[in-house]
Amino acid sequence: HLMEYLASQGFVVVAPDHCGNARYTIVNGRVVKAGGAYAATAHEERPKDVIFLINRLEAMDQGADSRFCGRVDTSKVGVAGMSFGGYTTAWVADEIKDPRVAAIVLHCPTITEVENRPVVAIPRKNPALPCLIMIGNEDAIKANYNDRTIEYFEKSEGTRCLVTIQRAGHCSFTSCELYNPAYGNGIGPSKSRTSPGEMYDPLPPAQMHDVINSYTLAWLRRHVLGDAQAQPFFSADHFGEEVAVDYREPPPTEGKDEAA
């Protein structure tokens, strides 16, 4: 839902199916399923995939593809990801630190400790890069799943925003309802993390997608396109008690106020 929405708003969007992580990927006419050797090295390869795609877009803008020649500004790129994609995004931002990346968006990112995967460093290695984080308060993928994500937010130094969706789980950030409306963990009746032993009714998918799409779009408009009119979106109440927003900007640099 998100990729199509951003494309409809004028962004050039590239969404890779990382080998070994997607349910099915076609590589040179061959079907690659999830798992196996590709999955074992995914934490290393996924960030490289992102940089490869940015490089390809740059080449297309410079004439490699007439459809995009002179139409893609790769000097300011937004990178977004959900779950393992959030890990990938954070790794691109803080470990690779490609200067073309102007802002990142993390949806329920897996930046906690995971077996056989190096963790994303906290404090951040690129803390000034603008960062939007969206989490589900009922995310039950792992005990205390959101704790390290919140720490990542707290240790950021640039403009950052933490959006907590109260009645959302891990899968609320997906479109899994298209093939199973009772998928669980945020789609259909789900086990509660905040009230163990109980069930909760997640935010309906259409409303959940509206929350995700609107905040992500506003963030990219502000920090990739440089649209100052997008900034007030984060201080307004759009979804009532369903969503909690913690928006912070870095303190003014010394002498800036005097000059103003």
Side-chain angles (χ1 to χ4, degrees):
H1 62 92
L2 178 62
M3 302 299 101
E4 293 178 354
Y5 177 73
L6 292 177
S8 75
Q9 301 300 307
F11 285 90
V12 175
V13 178
V14 182
D17 289 334
H18 300 285
C19 286
N21 299 149
R23 190 175 294 267
Y24 298 103
T25 308
I26 307 297
V27 180
N28 295 327
R30 181 171 60 93
V31 175
V32 179
K33 297 183 179 180
Y38 282 108
T41 59
H43 63 278
E44 301 174 0
E45 298 301 327
R46 290 173 64 115
K48 297 176 185 178
D49 289 345
V50 173
I51 299 303
F52 170 81
L53 291 176
I54 297 174
N55 290 341
R56 288 302 303 154
L57 281 174
E58 191 169 67
M60 291 162 72
D61 173 69
Q62 294 172 357
D65 189 319
S66 61
R67 295 170 300 174
F68 298 97
C69 184
R71 297 180 177 180
V72 184
D73 181 5
T74 54
S75 68
K76 298 191 73 176
V77 175
V79 180
M82 176 261 174
S83 192
F84 198 176
Y87 171 95
T88 304
T89 298
W91 198 268
V92 168
D94 294 334
E95 297 294 338
I96 297 178
K97 294 190 282 190
D98 191 304
R100 295 171 294 184
V101 177
I104 58 173
V105 179
L106 312 180
H107 293 161
C108 57
T110 311
I111 58 175
T112 188
E113 288 77 5
V114 177
E115 186 177 359
N116 299 323
R117 185 192 304 173
V119 297
V120 173
I122 298 178
R124 293 180 57 190
K125 295 182 180 180
N126 192 12
L129 187 68
C131 176
L132 168 65
I133 301 175
M134 303 186 73
I135 59 176
N137 198 40
E138 294 287 358
D139 197 326
I141 197 81
K142 186 178 181 180
N144 302 318
Y145 180 79
N146 288 330
D147 290 358
R148 202 163 190 273
T149 300
I150 294 172
E151 183 182 3
Y152 184 92
F153 168 77
E154 293 290 347
K155 295 297 176 63
S156 296
E157 298 174 3
T159 303
R160 65 266 196 203
C161 183
L162 176 65
V163 178
T164 303
I165 306 170
Q166 304 301 341
R167 291 192 295 133
H170 199 73
C171 297
S172 297
F173 290 86
T174 72
S175 296
C176 289
E177 75 281 353
L178 294 176
Y179 62 88
N180 186 352
Y183 194 90
N185 199 358
I187 294 180
S190 303
K191 295 179 180 179
S192 174
R193 180 193 68 83
T194 57
S195 299
E198 298 183 11
M199 303 290 288
Y200 76 98
D201 290 322
L203 206 63
Q207 189 173 354
M208 182 71 192
H209 294 172
D210 188 24
V211 175
I212 295 169
N213 293 349
S214 59
Y215 277 98
T216 302
L217 175 64
W219 194 257
L220 296 179
R221 289 192 64 84
R222 178 67 188 95
H223 296 287
V224 174
L225 300 185
D227 183 1
Q229 294 184 359
Q231 184 171 332
F233 179 90
F234 298 94
S235 59
D237 182 3
H238 303 284
F239 300 97
E241 295 181 354
E242 296 286 2
V243 175
V245 178
D246 185 348
Y247 176 82
R248 306 181 194 179
E249 294 184 351
T253 56
E254 187 176 349
K256 186 175 181 180
D257 287 344
E258 296 177 5

